[in-house]
Coordinates of all heavy atoms in Angstrom, one line a residue:
A245 N 104.0 122.3 107.9 CA 104.5 121.8 106.6 C 105.7 122.6 106.1 O 106.7 122.0 105.6 CB 103.3 121.8 105.6
L246 N 105.6 123.9 106.2 CA 106.7 124.8 105.7 C 108.0 124.5 106.6 O 109.1 124.6 106.0 CB 106.3 126.2 105.9 CG 105.3 126.7 104.8 CD1 104.8 128.1 105.1 CD2 106.0 126.8 103.4
S247 N 107.8 124.2 107.8 CA 109.0 124.0 108.7 C 109.7 122.7 108.2 O 111.0 122.6 108.2 CB 108.6 123.8 110.1 OG 107.9 122.6 110.4
Y248 N 109.0 121.7 107.8 CA 109.6 120.5 107.2 C 110.3 120.8 105.9 O 111.4 120.3 105.6 CB 108.6 119.4 106.9 CG 108.1 118.6 108.2 CD1 106.8 118.6 108.6 CD2 109.1 117.8 108.8 CE1 106.4 117.9 109.7 CE2 108.7 117.1 110.0 CZ 107.4 117.1 110.4 OH 107.0 116.4 111.5
A249 N 109.7 121.7 105.1 CA 110.4 122.0 103.8 C 111.6 122.8 104.1 O 112.7 122.7 103.4 CB 109.4 122.8 103.0
K250 N 111.6 123.7 105.1 CA 112.8 124.6 105.4 C 113.9 123.8 105.9 O 115.1 124.1 105.6 CB 112.4 125.7 106.3 CG 111.5 126.8 105.7 CD 111.0 127.8 106.8 CE 110.1 128.8 106.1 NZ 109.6 129.8 107.1
R251 N 113.6 122.7 106.6 CA 114.8 121.9 107.1 C 115.1 120.8 106.1 O 116.0 119.9 106.4 CB 114.4 121.3 108.5 CG 113.4 120.2 108.6 CD 113.4 119.7 110.0 NE 112.4 118.7 110.3 CZ 112.5 117.4 110.1 NH1 113.7 116.9 109.6 NH2 111.5 116.6 110.4
K252 N 114.4 120.8 105.0 CA 114.7 119.9 103.9 C 114.7 118.4 104.3 O 115.6 117.6 104.1 CB 116.1 120.2 103.2 CG 116.1 121.6 102.6 CD 117.4 121.9 102.0 CE 117.4 123.3 101.3 NZ 118.7 123.6 100.7
A253 N 113.6 118.0 105.0 CA 113.4 116.7 105.4 C 113.5 115.7 104.2 O 112.8 115.9 103.2 CB 112.0 116.5 106.1
P254 N 114.3 114.7 104.3 CA 114.5 113.8 103.2 C 113.3 112.9 102.9 O 112.4 112.7 103.8 CB 115.7 112.9 103.6 CG 115.7 112.9 105.1 CD 115.1 114.3 105.4
F255 N 113.2 112.2 101.8 CA 112.1 111.3 101.5 C 112.3 110.0 102.2 O 113.4 109.5 102.4 CB 112.0 111.1 100.0 CG 110.8 110.3 99.6 CD1 109.6 111.0 99.4 CD2 110.8 108.9 99.4 CE1 108.4 110.3 99.0 CE2 109.6 108.2 99.0 CZ 108.5 108.9 98.8
D256 N 111.2 109.4 102.7 CA 111.2 108.2 103.4 C 111.1 107.0 102.5 O 110.0 106.5 102.2 CB 110.1 108.2 104.4 CG 110.1 106.9 105.3 OD1 111.0 106.1 105.2 OD2 109.2 106.8 106.1
Y257 N 112.2 106.5 102.0 CA 112.2 105.3 101.1 C 111.9 104.0 101.8 O 111.7 103.0 101.2 CB 113.6 105.2 100.4 CG 113.8 106.3 99.4 CD1 114.5 107.5 99.7 CD2 113.2 106.3 98.1 CE1 114.7 108.5 98.8 CE2 113.4 107.3 97.2 CZ 114.2 108.4 97.5 OH 114.3 109.4 96.6
D258 N 112.0 104.0 103.2 CA 111.6 102.8 103.9 C 110.1 102.8 104.2 O 109.6 101.8 104.7 CB 112.4 102.8 105.3 CG 113.8 102.6 105.1 OD1 114.2 101.9 104.2 OD2 114.6 103.2 105.9
F259 N 109.4 103.9 103.9 CA 108.0 104.0 104.2 C 107.6 103.6 105.6 O 106.7 102.8 105.8 CB 107.2 103.2 103.2 CG 107.4 103.7 101.8 CD1 108.3 103.2 100.9 CD2 106.6 104.8 101.3 CE1 108.5 103.7 99.6 CE2 106.8 105.3 100.0 CZ 107.7 104.7 99.2
N260 N 108.4 104.2 106.5 CA 108.2 103.9 108.0 C 107.4 105.0 108.6 O 107.9 106.1 108.8 CB 109.5 103.8 108.7 CG 109.4 103.4 110.1 OD1 108.3 103.3 110.7 ND2 110.5 103.2 110.8
L261 N 106.1 104.7 108.9 CA 105.2 105.7 109.4 C 105.5 106.2 110.8 O 105.1 107.2 111.3 CB 103.8 105.2 109.4 CG 102.6 106.1 109.5 CD1 102.7 107.2 108.5 CD2 101.3 105.4 109.4
N262 N 106.4 105.4 111.5 CA 106.7 105.8 112.9 C 108.0 106.6 113.0 O 108.4 106.8 114.1 CB 106.9 104.5 113.7 CG 105.6 103.6 113.7 OD1 104.5 104.2 114.0 ND2 105.7 102.4 113.4
D263 N 108.6 107.0 111.9 CA 109.8 107.8 111.9 C 109.6 109.1 111.2 O 109.2 109.2 110.1 CB 110.9 107.0 111.2 CG 112.2 107.7 111.2 OD1 112.4 108.7 111.9 OD2 113.1 107.2 110.5
T264 N 109.9 110.2 111.9 CA 109.7 111.5 111.4 C 111.0 112.2 110.8 O 111.0 113.3 110.3 CB 109.1 112.5 112.4 OG1 110.0 112.6 113.5 CG2 107.7 112.1 112.9
T265 N 112.1 111.4 110.8 CA 113.3 112.0 110.3 C 113.3 112.0 108.8 O 114.0 112.8 108.2 CB 114.5 111.1 110.7 OG1 114.4 109.8 110.3 CG2 114.7 111.2 112.3
S266 N 112.5 111.2 108.2 CA 112.3 111.2 106.7 C 110.8 111.0 106.5 O 110.1 110.4 107.3 CB 113.1 110.2 106.0 OG 112.8 108.9 106.5
L267 N 110.3 111.5 105.4 CA 108.8 111.5 105.2 C 108.4 111.2 103.7 O 109.1 111.7 102.8 CB 108.2 112.9 105.5 CG 108.5 113.4 107.0 CD1 108.3 114.9 107.0 CD2 107.5 112.7 107.9
Y268 N 107.4 110.4 103.5 CA 106.7 110.3 102.2 C 105.5 111.2 102.2 O 105.2 111.7 103.3 CB 106.5 108.8 101.8 CG 105.6 108.0 102.8 CD1 104.2 108.1 102.7 CD2 106.2 107.2 103.7 CE1 103.4 107.3 103.6 CE2 105.4 106.5 104.6 CZ 104.0 106.5 104.5 OH 103.3 105.8 105.4
C269 N 104.8 111.3 101.1 CA 103.8 112.4 101.0 C 102.7 112.3 102.0 O 102.4 113.3 102.7 CB 103.3 112.4 99.6 SG 102.3 111.0 99.0
S270 N 102.0 111.2 102.2 CA 100.9 111.2 103.1 C 101.4 111.1 104.5 O 100.7 111.6 105.5 CB 100.0 110.0 102.8 OG 100.7 108.8 102.8
E271 N 102.6 110.6 104.7 CA 103.2 110.6 106.1 C 103.4 112.0 106.6 O 103.2 112.3 107.8 CB 104.5 109.8 106.0 CG 105.2 109.7 107.4 CD 106.6 109.0 107.3 OE1 107.1 108.8 106.2 OE2 107.1 108.6 108.3
L272 N 103.8 112.9 105.7 CA 104.0 114.3 106.1 C 102.8 114.8 106.7 O 102.8 115.5 107.8 CB 104.4 115.1 104.8 CG 104.3 116.6 104.9 CD1 105.4 117.1 105.9 CD2 104.5 117.2 103.5
I273 N 101.6 114.6 106.0 CA 100.4 115.2 106.5 C 99.9 114.5 107.8 O 99.5 115.1 108.7 CB 99.3 115.0 105.4 CG1 99.7 115.8 104.2 CG2 97.9 115.5 105.9 CD1 98.8 115.6 103.0
L274 N 100.1 113.2 107.9 CA 99.6 112.4 109.1 C 100.4 112.9 110.3 O 99.8 113.0 111.4 CB 99.8 110.9 108.8 CG 98.8 110.3 107.8 CD1 99.2 108.9 107.5 CD2 97.4 110.4 108.4
H275 N 101.7 113.1 110.2 CA 102.5 113.5 111.3 C 102.1 114.9 111.8 O 102.0 115.2 113.0 CB 104.0 113.5 111.0 CG 104.6 112.1 111.1 ND1 104.4 111.3 112.2 CD2 105.3 111.4 110.2 CE1 105.1 110.2 112.0 NE2 105.6 110.2 110.8
I276 N 101.7 115.8 110.8 CA 101.3 117.1 111.2 C 100.0 117.1 111.9 O 99.8 117.7 113.0 CB 101.2 118.0 109.9 CG1 102.5 118.3 109.3 CG2 100.5 119.3 110.3 CD1 102.5 119.0 108.0
L277 N 99.0 116.3 111.5 CA 97.7 116.2 112.1 C 97.8 115.6 113.5 O 97.1 116.0 114.4 CB 96.8 115.3 111.2 CG 96.5 115.8 109.8 CD1 95.5 114.9 109.2 CD2 95.9 117.3 109.9
E278 N 98.8 114.7 113.7 CA 98.9 114.1 115.0 C 99.6 115.1 116.0 O 99.1 115.2 117.1 CB 99.8 112.8 114.9 CG 100.0 112.1 116.2 CD 100.6 110.7 116.1 OE1 101.2 110.4 115.1 OE2 100.5 110.0 117.1
E279 N 100.6 115.8 115.5 CA 101.3 116.8 116.4 C 100.4 117.9 116.7 O 100.3 118.4 117.9 CB 102.5 117.3 115.7 CG 103.3 118.3 116.5 CD 104.5 118.8 115.9 OE1 105.1 118.1 115.0 OE2 105.0 119.9 116.2

């Protein structure tokens, strides 16, 4: 989670769960749990 914050990942306004270049709140957690 801290690594995403350090690279300043932008907010995912498309709400695309399959894309990690931008993230909304629950998507952030889901990608971490998957990885």
Side-chain angles (χ1 to χ4, degrees):
L246 285 169
S247 73
Y248 279 118
K250 288 176 181 176
R251 74 174 175 85
K252 298 181 179 180
F255 190 83
D256 182 6
Y257 290 97
D258 293 325
F259 296 95
N260 182 359
L261 194 56
N262 299 312
D263 180 11
T264 59
T265 58
S266 57
L267 300 161
Y268 56 86
C269 64
S270 55
E271 182 184 14
L272 166 68
I273 298 172
L274 289 170
H275 280 308
I276 293 173
L277 298 183
E278 183 169 17
E279 178 179 336

